[in-house]
Every structure is written in C-alpha cells, then in structure tokens.
Amino acid sequence: MPGNRTSHIRLTSHPGAGTASRFPIHWDAATARERGPVVATVNSGTDRNAIGAHGGAYSVYRALAISAGAMDPLVRPELHNTFPVVPVGPHPQWSEPGKIVSLDPWGARVAEDFAAELAEGVDIRPTIAVTKARIDLHEIHDAIAKGRLKVDGQIIHEGGDVAVTKAAIDPVWYLPGIAARFEVDETQLRRTLFEQTGGMYPELVTRPDMAVFLPPIGGITLYIFGDPSKIGDSRVPLTCRVHDECNGSDVFGSDICTCRPYLTHGIEECVASAQAGGTGLIAYNRKEGRALGEVTKFLVYNARKRQPGGDQAATYFERTECVAGVQDARFQQLMPDIIHWLGIRRIDRFVSMSNMKYDALVAGGIEIRERVPIPDYLVPEDASVEMEAKKAAGYFTPDKPPSKRDLKKVVGRDLKEF
C-alpha cells in the first residue's frame, strides 16, 4: 500500500454478513440516546450501523482527496464550537412514527447528545449544521427602493442585506419509513437502490439489519427570517416557500423558467412576514432539473426548441419524458420531513403554485391557510411556455387575478396616485 495508509476490506457479499453494531437504532425514539447515534464512517469497524457515507454527494470528492494522498482516511472532525447558533427542537414530530424518515432529526446535536461516545473515540458525525448569516439580493434592494420593504436595522440592515438563520441538512434515510412513505416493499426498494446505483452499496441487499442509508445525493438548505425560536409557534404567522434547485435561473438568471423570480418573490414575502412580527422560511432542495439533473434538463431544452413550430406548451412535458423517461422525478413525498423537523404544523402563507408540494404537505398533516402564486409581472417572457404547459397539465391551480397589493408591487407606488 502507498505510504502508511491502511486498507479495510469489508465482506458484504452474503446476506447477514458482518457483526451487529453495539449502537442499535430505534428510529422514532423520544430522545437521542434512546434512538442511538448514526455511525456511517467506513473506519468505524463494528460500530458502523448505517449504509453509505457522510457528506452525501461530497463523499466521492473525499474519496478522491484520500486517493490523491491529500487527506488522511482516518482523520476525524474536531467538533469544538460547531454546535448550532440557535437550538432547534426537539419537537413532538421527531418521535411521531412516520413523520420524519429522510433526515436525522438529532443530526445537529451530536456533540451534545453523544459527548461520552465521542470522548471514547466513536466516529459520530453531525448531519445538520445551523449558523447565522446575511444575504444580499438586488431584488431586495429593488423592493426597498420601491417601498415594498423597509430598512429596520434588525431584519434588513442599512446596506440592504438581510439577516437570516440558515441550516444545512444532509439526507439520512430510514429505509423502512421510506418504503412505507412510497408504499413499496422495503426489500424491493433496497434492491432497486442497489441496482440503479451500479451496485455502489452492496449492504443494501446484504445487510437487512442495517435500516439507515446515507444516499449520495444533495441535501437541503433552510433560510429562516425573523426569530427562529418562533418558527413552529402556531401563534406566530409563518410564510414559507419550498424551492427546488434550478442553478441556471437561481444563480445565473436564465429566463426560460420562473425559478429565480419565484425564489426571490418568496424571500421578499418571508422578509415582509418577519418585519410584521411573523416568521419566514425558505426550504431549498437540491433537486436540479426536477431531480433529473442539469444534463438532462439542457437536452430537453434543445429538444423543445428544435421541434417543428418551436417551443410549445403542448409538448413541454412530452419532450421531457422522451429524453428522461419520466416527466418529473422529484416526488414530493419526502419534502414535508424538513417542515416536521422545525416543529411546524401550519403554514399561513405558502408561496408556491405547485399542487404536488401542496398535496404532499397536506397529506403530511400540515395545514396551509393561503397559497400565494407568482405575480404575472414576474414571469419572464421566455417562461410563458412553462407556465401554460403546467397550467394545462394541472401542475397548479390558477388563482384569483392580482390583488391591489400585487399591482402596487408592479409600480412601487400607491394606486391612489393613478
């Protein structure tokens, strides 16, 4: 072996192979210690009780760093002063059977809840981090200039930047719960995951005793506006947008879709809610291209624009299915988990037109009092095909015409001036 690195060969080729961990996981337990730690590092030996690796998609980059000799494979994170800047939970939903199956609700509290095990040398790693930051968007500056938002020194600072509490969440799947949520057989789910990842995780089929899987996918980022301690308080109004990643629009401003306009509209509504004494929440999911990926998305763009007659609403979803095999792979069944993690049972203003998101939240027991559509004036001209196609497909339910509040946003002045 090169250098002084050690090699660990783990037998996973036969059902039941391996030794049971001394840390059994009882998923819906009421406390972290009753639930047990999630131990997924490959150097943990028989303490390991989860399939996969920490870091989601970034685990592959870690492997490259180790392969290149730039990183010691046995290194462990030093967690001093990494604890959340504000506490989250525990909330009742954390132990309500079936409420949370795609993330570890205790994942931010590792250093606190398992200090003794960490001191002993057990390699337990956080899967959630909570910090504070400021965000600076030109759309917020525009809203301030037009009088829709105001500088208050707490939520919006003098320079126009906005104070937020943000959390990063890596996926942690409880396989029996995932199977139940999708109404599929767990054994079939495990085999399909094994096969469709090219056999990357043999333990999916060889270790039925391991019920937790850390998939190699992106996670979720939360942006909380206002007092984060009030985010799940039913006495405090909550505005929320659940947004699925669209790098081309969100970051680079591509105008073929409504993603960035709807995201920034949601942020503005969240800021307004916080300034009015409520709270706001943006849940940002890494599901690029309807979870089909950016390569597939760009192929679909080409297919749509090159067809006879150009891009058309009538063939919008058809071209996606021809290229990808499915119109939309996001499947929102897991999405409500992050809402349950925050202890939320009611959303007063849900900034989304998606019936899929709305239905998933309601099915998960979340009350939604009002749905807030994107105002027509924020829809880019090139995105009109998307909007018409989604409307025809029943993707969203058309809402009432713009209110005076919406029209006021267009001109940034009181309607009495006209």
Side-chain angles (χ1 to χ4, degrees):
M1 297 296 293
N4 61 359
R5 278 181 263 165
T6 59
S7 175
H8 299 275
I9 300 175
R10 291 175 295 117
L11 272 178
T12 58
S13 58
H14 301 286
T19 303
S21 171
R22 60 179 170 140
F23 300 111
I25 292 178
H26 306 286
W27 188 257
D28 293 317
T31 69
R33 298 204 62 81
E34 290 176 283
R35 201 289 307 276
V38 173
V39 185
T41 48
V42 295
N43 55 18
S44 293
T46 57
D47 286 344
R48 191 164 182 262
N49 61 10
I51 305 165
H54 286 288
Y58 292 99
S59 61
V60 177
Y61 288 105
R62 184 169 63 245
L64 284 176
I66 292 170
S67 177
M71 181 179 180
D72 181 350
L74 300 180
V75 71
R76 298 186 180 186
E78 202 281 288
L79 299 177
H80 181 65
N81 279 340
T82 62
F83 58 87
V85 295
V86 295
V88 178
H91 295 293
Q93 293 97 315
W94 291 17
S95 57
E96 291 180 19
K99 285 292 186 185
I100 298 177
V101 299
S102 62
L103 61 94
D104 176 7
W106 306 96
R109 299 164 49 101
V110 165
E112 173 186 351
D113 292 328
F114 299 106
E117 287 78 6
L118 288 167
E120 178 192 332
V122 181
D123 196 352
I124 309 169
R125 304 195 180 190
T127 55
I128 299 176
V130 184
T131 190
K132 286 189 176 181
R134 296 186 183 184
I135 60 174
D136 197 355
L137 301 172
H138 73 81
E139 290 90 346
I140 294 298
H141 287 270
D142 182 66
I144 295 169
K146 292 180 177 177
R148 302 196 303 266
L149 296 174
K150 62 182 183 298
V151 172
D152 58 28
Q154 291 184 324
I155 304 217
I156 301 182
H157 296 275
E158 289 297 328
D161 52 320
V162 180
V164 296
T165 300
K166 61 181 183 179
I169 298 96
D170 279 342
V172 178
W173 286 7
Y174 178 58
L175 291 172
I178 298 286
R181 188 76 64 85
F182 281 88
E183 299 181 342
V184 299
D185 177 73
E186 183 189 345
T187 300
Q188 182 60 39
L189 171 66
R190 284 171 171 267
R191 178 157 294 281
T192 304
L193 287 169
F194 168 70
E195 292 173 348
Q196 294 302 314
T197 56
M200 183 179 288
Y201 299 105
E203 291 153 315
L204 286 165
V205 293
T206 65
R207 294 295 303 272
D209 58 308
M210 285 187 172
V212 172
F213 174 46
L214 279 61
I217 59 175
I220 303 168
T221 308
L222 301 180
Y223 290 83
I224 299 172
F225 302 81
D227 185 346
S229 69
K230 297 179 179 178
I231 196 74
D233 189 336
S234 60
R235 299 167 296 181
V236 179
L238 169 65
T239 294
C240 172
R241 171 158 179 80
V242 176
H243 188 90
D244 293 333
E245 178 183 28
C246 176
N247 185 67
S249 179
D250 296 343
V251 178
F252 294 99
S254 172
D255 65 353
I256 196 172
C257 61
T258 59
C259 295
R260 181 180 174 94
Y262 219 152
L263 174 60
T264 57
H265 175 57
I267 291 172
E268 181 178 334
E269 293 290 342
C270 286
V271 172
S273 177
Q275 289 192 321
T279 56
L281 171 67
I282 299 291
Y284 193 91
N285 297 281
R286 293 321 190 287
K287 296 179 180 178
E288 177 64 60
R290 300 197 200 110
L292 297 168
E294 206 163 35
V295 169
T296 296
K297 181 164 72 171
F298 288 5
L299 293 174
V300 171
Y301 286 168
N302 289 346
R304 282 169 46 192
K305 291 178 177 291
R306 286 171 175 163
Q307 62 189 339
D311 199 5
Q312 303 167 41
T315 55
Y316 177 88
F317 286 109
E318 176 189 335
R319 298 308 295 138
T320 301
E321 190 165 5
C322 286
V323 173
V326 66
Q327 294 181 2
D328 193 326
R330 286 175 294 179
F331 304 112
Q332 301 291 349
Q333 288 95 323
L334 301 180
M335 178 267 291
D337 288 23
I338 196 62
I339 306 299
H340 293 309
W341 180 67
L342 291 168
I344 296 168
R345 296 192 185 275
R346 188 190 74 228
I347 296 172
D348 295 275
R349 305 188 76 239
F350 185 50
V351 188
S352 173
M353 300 173 80
S354 169
N355 287 340
M356 292 172 63
K357 293 176 184 176
Y358 174 85
D359 292 343
L361 287 167
V362 172
I366 306 297
E367 178 190 356
I368 296 179
R369 291 193 167 178
E370 179 186 0
R371 299 173 70 176
V372 182
I374 186 171
D376 288 342
Y377 67 86
L378 287 180
V379 178
E381 183 178 351
D382 203 27
S384 60
V385 170
E386 171 204 10
M387 295 299 286
E388 289 304 314
K390 288 181 174 180
K391 185 187 299 183
Y395 185 88
F396 64 87
T397 302
D399 210 326
K400 59 186 178 182
S403 64
K404 285 189 176 182
R405 181 170 180 266
D406 287 333
L407 292 172
K408 182 180 176 181
K409 285 185 177 184
V410 180
V411 297
R413 288 176 285 177
D414 196 302
L415 291 175
K416 292 179 181 178
E417 298 180 27
F418 294 87

